Structures are given as C-alpha cells and as structure tokens.
Amino acid sequence: MQLSLYWDADDDVEDIRRYTTGGFHPIRLGDVVFPPLVNSDSSPARQYRILHKLGHSSFATVWLAEALHAPSQRYVAFKICAAEADPRHELDIFSRIPVGDETQNVLRLRDNFSLHGPNGVYTVLVRDVLGNLFNVAQSSQGRKHARMLCRQIACGLAALHRHGIVHGDLHSGNVGIALPTLDEHSPGSILDYFGNPECTVILPTAPPAHLEALPPYLVPPISVIDYLRSQDPAFADTPLRAVIMDLGNAIAVDEQTRPSCTPAAVSAPELMFERVVRSVDPFPTRASDIWSLACTMYEVVFGLPLFHLAFPNDGLLGAMATLCGEVPLGWQSYWESQEWLRNMDISPEAADAKWARRLAHFTKVAGGKHTQAEVEEFFTLLRSMLKIEPERRVSAEDVLQHPWFARANDASR
C-alpha cells in the first residue's frame, strides 16, 4: 500500500503499511471487543476492553486488555493476528500442550476467537500478561535468581519436547516473566502511572481508498513490569516464574513443515550453515532448540549474548567452530574453499583457551559476581549443549539433571 503521512511515528510502533487488506486490525484505546458466543448455554458473554499497547511483531499486535467478564483474572494480553497469518498452526500447537504443573513454564492460551474487521478476519489469542525476561534478569532480583530462571526455561523446553513440540525460535525475547500481582491493581492506577499515551495521529497526505482500514493513531507500547517494580512492593518478594512464549514458529516433530526463523545470535550451527551456504532455512529440531537454550541461559546469567553482532555469514560460522573446537565433516569442502575460514585456528585446544578467557573475565574482570567454581560448572553444562554436531548435544531432560541446577531455588520446580 502506498501511503504518505504528514507525521512519521517512532520506530517502536508497528509499520502503518500493515494496516491494509490481509494485515492488522485497527484498534482504538478503550475499544470493547465482544467475541462470538461459543454456544447457547448460560455462560456470561466475554468482553475485553483494550487499555494500552503491549507490543507488536510482523504478524500481530498485542494489547493490554481488561477481561470484563472474568473477575478472577482481570488483565490479559490480547494478541490480534494479521488477517493473512495462519493461526491454525499455532492453535494446533497449543492443543498439544496439556494444562498442569508440568507445563507451568510454557505459555497458556486462555481464549481464542475470530474477529471480523475492515482488513479481513483475524484470529485473537488471549493469554496471561508477561514481563520482559531480560529486564528482570538484569535487576538485582533477577541476578540473584539467574540459576532458577535458567532452570525454569529448561523445564518449559523439556515439557515442549516431551509432548513432541520443537519451539524453533527460543531466545530471551520469547521468554516472559509471570506477573501474579498484576490483577490486584486497578486500571486507573496502571494508566495513571504511564500518563497520557504518546499518540501519533494518522493523517494521510491524500485520502486513502479505505479510511476505515487505518487506526486513528499509533501508540508505543508500555512495560507493565516496570509499573509493578515501581508501584508494587509485594512484587519484589514474589517468586519469579519464567514462561516460554510465542509458539507461532513452533513445529510438531511428527509434521516438520515449517522452516527455521531462529535469530542468528541463537541459531544452531547446522541451521546457520544451510542459511549461509545454501540460502535455505531447514526445519528446527530438538537439538537446535538445545543450542538456543544454551545461548539464552548464557545471556540470563551474564547479561551478554554468547555471539556478539551475529549475522548469517562466514564470521558467525567461524565463531561457532572456534567455540566448539572443530569443523564438521559436512562443512569441510566449503571451509577449504574460503581462505579466511581455512586459515582460522580451530582445535580443541583453541576452544579450551577461549572458554578459559571467558572464565577469567567473569570471575575476575567482571567484579567477581560469580565464583570460579560456579562458572566452571556452568561452562561444563553449556559446552555439553553447544556441540557443533547436533546428535552429540544433550537433551533437555539431561540439562535438568546437571549438577549446576542442584542449588536452584525450590520455586523453580
């Protein structure tokens, strides 16, 4: 859609060009959405009032909504998928996940329905409101419980694998933190805290063909967890619970019909090699999830990515091979054809030296936040997960049995 506006919005809002046929549903703050009745029984009609924006992705906008019909759960995250998205796949994934303690570290779907609008028919997924993992992990509370958070993420991934699901897009941005005290707060106190929304009015320079397809304004997202950390002393004393979310790119292992879309920084070597050398995106696997889990755990514990400035290129392949200490047999012909790669020092000894330098940094240079014994034990776990050959990586169940988790807080169980 060719659309020219008088004012440009900030980068933290969705692309206005996505509000077209097959794209996003226009929302106004304060809208009340009435899902269609499931049947003719006496259940109360569901009503969701849109309070603010929580975020967006390429194929959805996510809103903070008040469930007017459900006093037991006041607030929900209201994800409106683009009309062109294929929500049946994600709904099928959710249908494979049982509800219970085993899956308490995996996102739970509370409701779903279809919504008709000017740009098409959209699927709405209703779930719990979650906080940002990385923001919490870098707080004093998060650093204190980093081991517990890592165990919870591993528990969530193990549960998915147990039920035949590969996440395929596991990284810190797709892990949230439960907010159990949020429902105790009124909408007024939450909205007062964030103040007047910084709306960018949508005023086209020429009248569009379908004005109703556009929202009247775009609004940047809020961070509910920032509100709780500032206004709710009880939140600091509430046990943290990590929750794996965003299952839109997950696959069932008995189907494997979707290519990988894992970000380069956490993508497994076998996926990255195919992406760089052959320009294809193969299916993610349980083993590629384990590599992504290791990268995510490293970031939670140390606050830094394992692979800095990662892009799908030879540089990342070289960094992976260096860290693992070997070049897979299937990579050899390509490796020899690239002078820069061919001249790299890749050996078990070079890998050991690289890990030793990281050990020295995190036990001495970085202010002594971690003891040498703790980091050595953690690195032993990571290196068992970061094998360049996928079949040699440990399973999620094996990860949970590692001694590094022995001192994890009982709340992670």
Side-chain angles (χ1 to χ4, degrees), residues 77-273:
F78 203 76
K79 178 180 178 180
I80 308 178
C81 301
E84 65 188 4
D86 179 15
R88 291 171 297 179
H89 171 77
E90 190 169 359
L91 290 172
D92 176 65
I93 293 296
F94 275 114
S95 72
R96 296 168 180 258
I97 305 172
V99 176
D101 290 343
E102 177 198 11
T103 56
Q104 65 175 324
N105 300 116
V106 179
L107 182 69
R108 178 182 174 186
L109 186 64
R110 299 285 180 177
D111 191 7
N112 71 93
F113 55 89
S114 294
L115 179 65
H116 293 257
N119 294 323
V121 180
Y122 325 89
T123 293
V124 178
L125 305 178
V126 182
R127 59 163 175 82
D128 295 339
V129 181
L130 300 173
N132 181 280
L133 168 69
F134 190 74
N135 286 348
V136 172
Q138 297 314 298
S139 68
S140 58
Q141 182 187 18
R143 288 192 297 270
K144 180 180 178 181
H145 298 292
R147 195 190 310 251
M148 180 188 72
L149 291 172
C150 288
R151 188 182 192 282
Q152 292 173 342
I153 300 169
C155 281
L157 186 63
L160 289 176
H161 287 185
R162 208 174 295 129
H163 291 282
I165 298 169
V166 172
H167 188 279
D169 194 19
L170 183 64
H171 54 82
S172 61
N174 278 342
V175 180
I177 297 294
L179 308 176
T181 66
L182 178 60
D183 285 343
E184 300 171 11
H185 297 261
S186 70
S189 62
I190 296 173
L191 297 180
D192 284 347
Y193 174 79
F194 290 104
N196 294 334
E198 297 178 2
C199 299
T200 300
V201 175
I202 302 304
L203 180 58
T205 55
H210 302 287
L211 185 60
E212 71 279 2
L214 299 173
Y217 48 79
L218 295 179
V219 59
I222 60 172
S223 173
V224 176
I225 200 167
D226 287 348
Y227 163 78
L228 291 176
R229 290 163 68 179
S230 172
Q231 304 296 311
D232 187 351
F235 179 72
D237 298 324
T238 303
L240 296 175
R241 178 165 61 90
V243 179
I244 295 177
M245 58 185 187
D246 200 346
L247 301 176
N249 295 304
I251 63 172
V253 294
D254 57 350
E255 294 180 345
Q256 295 191 347
T257 57
R258 300 173 75 85
S260 165
C261 65
T262 316
V266 299
S267 182
E270 64 274 15
L271 304 182
M272 188 54 55
F273 183 81

Side-chain angles (χ1 to χ4, degrees), residues 31-39 43-50 65-70 76 78-80 110-116 122-126:
D31 280 352
V32 177
V33 179
F34 298 86
L37 293 175
V38 177
N39 49 47
S43 300
R46 294 165 294 165
Q47 301 178 51
Y48 297 99
R49 181 166 66 126
I50 305 299
E66 184 181 14
L68 300 176
H69 62 281
V76 294
F78 203 76
K79 178 180 178 180
I80 308 178
R110 299 285 180 177
D111 191 7
N112 71 93
F113 55 89
S114 294
L115 179 65
H116 293 257
Y122 325 89
T123 293
V124 178
L125 305 178
V126 182

Side-chain angles (χ1 to χ4, degrees), residues 351-367:
D352 289 343
K354 192 172 186 68
W355 283 101
R357 288 193 293 272
R358 291 176 185 263
L359 174 66
H361 173 78
F362 288 118
T363 57
K364 299 175 184 177
V365 179

Side-chain angles (χ1 to χ4, degrees), residues 177-393:
I177 297 294
L179 308 176
T181 66
L182 178 60
D183 285 343
E184 300 171 11
H185 297 261
S186 70
S189 62
I190 296 173
L191 297 180
D192 284 347
Y193 174 79
F194 290 104
N196 294 334
E198 297 178 2
C199 299
T200 300
V201 175
I202 302 304
L203 180 58
T205 55
H210 302 287
L211 185 60
E212 71 279 2
L214 299 173
Y217 48 79
L218 295 179
V219 59
I222 60 172
S223 173
V224 176
I225 200 167
D226 287 348
Y227 163 78
L228 291 176
R229 290 163 68 179
S230 172
Q231 304 296 311
D232 187 351
F235 179 72
D237 298 324
T238 303
L240 296 175
R241 178 165 61 90
V243 179
I244 295 177
M245 58 185 187
D246 200 346
L247 301 176
N249 295 304
I251 63 172
V253 294
D254 57 350
E255 294 180 345
Q256 295 191 347
T257 57
R258 300 173 75 85
S260 165
C261 65
T262 316
V266 299
S267 182
E270 64 274 15
L271 304 182
M272 188 54 55
F273 183 81
E274 295 297 319
R275 193 178 298 175
V276 171
V277 177
R278 300 189 176 96
S279 298
V280 298
D281 290 312
F283 304 137
T285 64
R286 289 186 176 98
S288 65
D289 270 355
I290 293 299
W291 181 281
S292 299
L293 175 62
C295 296
T296 302
M297 290 168 51
Y298 185 98
E299 185 176 2
V300 169
V301 172
F302 298 125
L304 299 167
L306 180 61
F307 296 99
H308 294 268
L309 301 176
F311 296 97
N313 55 27
D314 285 351
L316 181 55
L317 295 179
M320 290 172 165
T322 301
L323 197 69
C324 296
E326 59 182 312
V327 178
L329 290 176
W331 295 17
Q332 292 290 349
S333 60
Y334 178 75
W335 215 261
E336 292 301 318
S337 71
Q338 308 295 314
E339 181 180 2
W340 180 76
L341 294 175
R342 186 172 63 245
N343 293 329
M344 292 186 70
D345 179 15
I346 298 175
S347 66
E349 294 75 19
D352 289 343
K354 192 172 186 68
W355 283 101
R357 288 193 293 272
R358 291 176 185 263
L359 174 66
H361 173 78
F362 288 118
T363 57
K364 299 175 184 177
V365 179
K369 297 177 182 177
H370 310 277
T371 68
Q372 180 169 330
E374 288 173 343
V375 178
E376 285 178 341
E377 193 172 51
F378 183 48
F379 280 1
T380 300
L381 170 58
L382 291 182
R383 296 186 73 175
S384 71
M385 303 165 70
L386 295 169
K387 300 292 185 183
I388 205 159
E389 297 282 9
E391 62 272 12
R392 291 167 50 201
R393 291 173 208 148

